[in-house]
Amino acid sequence: MRAIALALPVALPLAALPTLALAHSGGHSGLSFLSGLSHPLGGLDHVLAMLAVGLIAAQRGGASVLATPATFVCAMLAGGALGAAGLSFPAMEPMILASIIVLGALIAMAVRVPMALLLPVVAAFGLAHGWAHGAEGPATGLALYALGFALATAALHGAGIAMGRAVNRLAIRGLGALTTGAGLVLAFA
């Protein structure tokens, strides 16, 4: 409960700020790697989803600790390539918001979805997040940009895993509930 008490005053006001909420602000300038590194950190929607992937991996334990984040990052890179190629993905924003709400709800309810179902869902969410990154990426230096957003995403997954391991089961569920709540605020903001 202490983790919830600490996170609530920070998470809810941030979720209410639309300019900080969504990372999809347009093109990136400057160094490709640094631009890619900063993109997932630039919007609460991405940060919440990435942390949730780490939390669900920590909550499940075992092979999920590596498989869940790795699946997300690989799918995100594929989505980034599709977005950079200019392919259409009309449901990208709803899918990103769904990733926050669904993953948060699974964590909050401590649902133990079989890995054969969880990993494709995580991959679909990763694809959507990656598409957003790729579609807004620089015209040149795409490989360095992708490396940057992959490393930032992996670091956020690691932070979620570390949080999940640092708190008890009830606190993980509380963090999942907060994630879902923040996702709903973002969806209706």
Side-chain angles (χ1 to χ4, degrees):
M1 290 311 259
R2 184 177 152 187
I4 296 169
L6 293 173
L8 189 59
V10 174
L12 291 180
L14 285 176
L17 297 172
T19 58
L20 292 178
L22 301 174
H24 318 295
S25 57
H28 293 268
S29 61
L31 298 174
S32 294
F33 176 75
L34 294 177
S35 184
L37 197 61
S38 68
H39 194 264
L41 305 173
L44 191 57
D45 55 345
H46 290 303
V47 172
L48 288 170
M50 306 312 157
L51 290 172
V53 169
L55 282 171
I56 202 164
Q59 186 180 49
R60 293 179 59 86
S64 185
V65 172
L66 291 176
T68 306
T71 297
F72 190 97
V73 171
C74 289
M76 185 186 63
L77 287 168
L82 295 173
L87 296 176
S88 178
F89 190 170
M92 181 262 307
E93 281 296 341
M95 187 74 111
I96 287 173
L97 292 170
S99 70
I100 302 164
I101 296 165
V102 170
L103 292 173
L106 290 173
I107 295 163
M109 296 184 297
V111 176
R112 193 147 178 91
V113 177
M115 289 287 279
L117 178 59
L118 178 65
L119 294 182
V121 168
V122 166
F125 292 151
L127 191 75
H129 283 268
W131 189 94
H133 297 324
E136 297 173 359
T140 61
L142 192 58
L144 287 174
Y145 175 75
L147 177 63
F149 73 67
L151 289 175
T153 297
L156 287 167
H157 292 332
I161 291 168
M163 282 190 319
R165 288 183 169 173
V167 299
N168 65 32
R169 289 181 190 178
L170 185 58
I172 292 174
R173 293 179 72 177
L175 290 169
L178 283 174
T179 301
T180 296
L184 291 169
V185 168
L186 289 174
F188 293 104

